[in-house]
Amino acid sequence: MPATINLKLTARLAQLKAALSRRDRVATNRAVVTLLDEQAPIGEHWKTISHLMQVSGEYTLALRAIDAFIASAANPAMARYSKVVLLTQAHRQQDAHDLLIQLPENVPDRAGHAYVLGNIALTLGHSDAARGHLLNALEHRPGWGPAWLSLASTGNLAEDRMAEQMLAEAAAAERQGPADLARYCYARGKLHADRKDPAAAFSAYLRGAALLKSETPYSRDANAANALSAMTGFDAEFFKRMQTHATADTDRPIFVTGLPRSGTTLVEHILASHSQVHDGGELNVIQHVAVTAGGVSGHAIDQYLAGGGTLIALGELYLHLLTERAGSAGRIVDKTIDASRYLGLIATIFPNVPLIWMQRDPLDNAWSCFRTFFIHGVGWSFDLDDIAHHFELEAKLMAFWKRRLGDRLLIVPFADMVGKPALWTSNIISHCGLGEEDAVHTPHLTKRRVSTASGLQVRRPINTDGLGVAEPYRSFLRPFTDAIANCTGPIDARGSI
């Protein structure tokens, strides 16, 4: 490499490093664009840059960087597989599928190849194809927990022939590491639950949860401090004061929050059935805005504005990252987990966007959380006492935001939603400023990707099957019910405090 080119490249990389150290998003993006436009010969480092861009929500640059990595890779097939993974994380499952089927079946290995195809098919709603791919993965890696966990979500296992295969592969499953073994335990719990054996089901879930808890740091104190910060600085006059600041004039996002497994995916699916709404999901975009604002409290917002920041800039950052994740068309449902912790920030920068909070019977919700394998961000779900503590925090947050936001925050009881779906669907559609359409009343007919644990449920007509699901497990859930009874703000059956 000529010395002049080497010096220029060194300077470009120094600019990128300096921008990253300052956490300067604009300068970082500019430095990456320059390196890409100049086709910088940095080889394997393109993969690192792609990851950095993905973490910051800049998926256009992340994809450009991964393409640069592919162009310079010594092993192009494995480099392309890195792009498959990135595409799935960018919620571009069809693109990921189309690229993966072009790669050899041993990339990254035969089990992994089939597993990714199976999970993409699941997300796209193709259950039969998913089962075929996932069973293929198990031929190459018997007892593999991730494959069994995905297979368990494809339907009721009570009379399924593959259930006996799952049990027969227990010894192979035991030879896995804790994370994969935990996934097998959750799959086995699902099998016993489908067979109406509460004791065996709870035992399997309990073991899986214990394995994950040992691997996952979680702090009640940190969770409580985060919830308190989310409610700090928002006095009764806060939003009136904020009206003096210009904001982004948009209603494009629709925020749906509530505890995991409380019905948020059902509401998202109803909304996404409307012609003006284009998908969404757990976007995790607002967290980047919170970093720029310096926090989620009202005090942080005041300090950000006092330092010369603007609400328009925060809104534009969110909308930019929203487009990076979901494209530029239509309104988008954002049901990021723990959006309750960002609600003050959201309501401040977007005074025109609708806000919806799903509420479910605490015992049903607790059992549904405990039995669900969450990929990330739900460390409280592995212990029944921790679940009760987290539920108490969320109940306090809901009560606080209802007082501050009034009718702008629509609280939707899950039991009422599934009991009177026509009424509540109309309420939700009206709250979001959308016109009535037939499709929103038959959301199970809508074909779209669903990447949460509720993927199969929302592809069935709205029903009451989710009511009373914890009753067979009530005796096993005593740690939760006892802890809830001792909460400083008791939670009733409607989730109120």
Side-chain angles (χ1 to χ4, degrees):
M1 182 185 299
T4 54
I5 295 177
N6 189 39
L7 288 172
K8 184 178 180 181
L9 177 58
T10 300
R12 298 294 192 218
L13 293 173
Q15 290 171 352
L16 174 59
K17 184 176 180 180
L20 287 169
S21 66
R22 298 194 308 270
R23 297 185 178 181
D24 186 331
R25 176 182 291 271
V26 173
T28 296
N29 291 357
R30 187 185 305 119
V32 171
V33 168
T34 299
L35 288 167
L36 287 165
D37 288 347
E38 293 179 353
Q39 299 180 354
I42 57 176
E44 292 280 331
H45 295 296
W46 280 123
K47 187 175 182 180
T48 301
I49 289 176
S50 176
H51 178 69
L52 287 170
M53 292 297 96
Q54 177 204 342
V55 168
S56 67
E58 300 287 350
Y59 279 90
T60 298
L61 292 179
L63 287 165
R64 285 188 65 188
I66 207 70
D67 284 338
F69 168 62
I70 292 169
S72 62
N75 187 340
M78 283 301 297
R80 287 190 176 89
Y81 179 74
S82 297
K83 185 174 183 179
V84 170
V85 174
L86 176 58
L87 287 167
T88 62
Q89 293 166 342
H91 290 190
R92 303 182 189 184
Q93 271 74 15
Q94 190 60 56
D95 290 339
H97 171 271
D98 294 345
L99 177 56
L100 184 56
I101 60 174
Q102 297 175 29
L103 300 179
E105 292 184 359
N106 62 347
V107 174
D109 56 69
R110 292 187 180 277
H113 189 100
Y115 171 74
V116 175
L117 283 175
N119 277 283
I120 291 173
L122 260 183
T123 301
L124 295 175
H126 308 317
S127 297
D128 289 342
R131 286 167 64 96
H133 290 305
L134 293 166
L135 287 170
N136 183 25
L138 287 163
E139 287 183 16
H140 299 290
R141 198 180 300 178
W144 191 25
W148 275 119
L149 182 64
S150 295
L151 268 170
S153 70
T154 61
N156 190 304
L157 303 179
E159 304 296 335
D160 199 308
R161 286 179 299 176
M162 74 176 180
E164 296 308 320
Q165 179 183 342
M166 181 195 296
L167 297 175
E169 293 185 6
E174 292 290 343
R175 293 192 289 270
Q176 303 174 100
D180 284 355
L181 177 57
R183 287 164 168 84
Y184 175 82
C185 290
Y186 277 83
R188 188 159 177 159
K190 169 69 161 52
L191 165 61
H192 292 307
D194 288 348
R195 288 181 168 180
K196 310 295 185 187
D197 187 342
F202 186 82
S203 177
Y205 287 125
L206 185 65
R207 186 183 181 204
L211 286 165
L212 291 175
K213 184 175 182 178
S214 68
E215 301 270 305
T216 308
Y218 171 69
S219 166
R220 285 193 190 183
D221 289 343
N223 192 2
N226 179 274
L228 178 61
S229 177
M231 295 182 282
T232 299
F234 296 100
D235 57 56
E237 301 300 314
F238 179 86
F239 292 111
K240 288 183 180 179
R241 294 202 316 272
M242 291 298 109
Q243 289 176 4
T244 63
H245 296 271
T247 54
D249 183 17
T250 182
D251 64 353
R252 190 179 184 215
I254 299 170
F255 288 91
V256 178
T257 190
L259 288 161
R261 311 297 293 151
S262 64
T264 56
T265 300
L266 173 59
V267 171
E268 177 201 11
H269 202 55
I270 288 169
L271 287 165
S273 301
H274 196 282
S275 62
Q276 294 180 26
V277 182
H278 290 229
D279 231 319
E282 295 170 1
L283 301 178
N284 301 312
V285 168
I286 192 64
Q287 61 185 324
H288 297 295
V289 181
V291 170
T292 299
V296 298
S297 70
H299 297 323
I301 296 171
D302 282 330
Q303 290 176 5
Y304 169 79
L305 295 173
T310 68
L311 299 183
I312 284 181
L314 295 179
E316 288 178 344
L317 173 59
Y318 176 90
L319 292 171
H320 162 68
L321 296 176
L322 181 67
T323 298
E324 288 285 293
R325 284 297 299 273
S328 59
R331 299 180 66 183
I332 303 295
V333 181
D334 185 335
K335 59 180 219 69
T336 297
I337 287 181
D338 287 340
S340 58
R341 311 302 175 94
Y342 301 94
L343 216 52
L345 180 62
I346 292 167
T348 302
I349 63 178
F350 292 128
N352 299 321
V353 303
L355 309 170
I356 298 171
W357 193 303
M358 285 300 298
Q359 188 181 30
R360 189 179 180 188
D361 172 81
L363 192 64
D364 283 347
N365 208 158
W367 170 239
S368 294
C369 286
F370 188 69
R371 65 176 290 180
T372 298
F373 176 87
F374 294 105
I375 296 176
H376 54 75
V378 196
W380 50 263
S381 70
F382 308 135
D383 181 281
L384 292 169
D385 285 330
D386 288 342
I387 291 175
H389 179 257
H390 183 76
F391 276 29
E392 180 188 14
L393 294 176
E394 290 297 297
K396 290 179 177 179
L397 280 159
M398 187 190 72
F400 176 83
W401 287 120
K402 187 59 179 174
R403 289 195 301 270
R404 288 291 180 266
L405 298 172
D407 290 342
R408 188 178 169 199
L409 177 62
L410 176 66
I411 296 178
V412 180
F414 177 78
D416 291 354
M417 171 79 229
V418 298
K420 300 177 180 177
L423 172 63
W424 277 98
T425 294
S426 293
N427 289 346
I428 291 166
I429 293 300
S430 175
H431 184 72
C432 296
L434 296 164
E436 282 280 353
E437 293 182 356
D438 291 344
V440 299
H441 292 281
T442 54
H444 58 287
L445 300 178
T446 299
K447 298 185 183 302
R448 56 180 286 269
R449 62 167 183 79
V450 182
S451 54
T452 69
S454 304
L456 289 184
Q457 290 97 312
V458 298
R459 292 190 169 102
R460 299 170 54 211
I462 296 175
N463 58 75
T464 59
D465 291 355
L467 303 182
V469 293
E471 198 54 42
Y473 302 88
R474 181 176 287 274
S475 62
F476 302 108
L477 299 174
R478 279 288 301 276
F480 171 80
T481 54
D482 288 349
I484 282 294
N486 294 324
C487 283
T488 56
I491 306 174
D492 66 23
R494 306 276 291 191
S496 302
I497 62 170

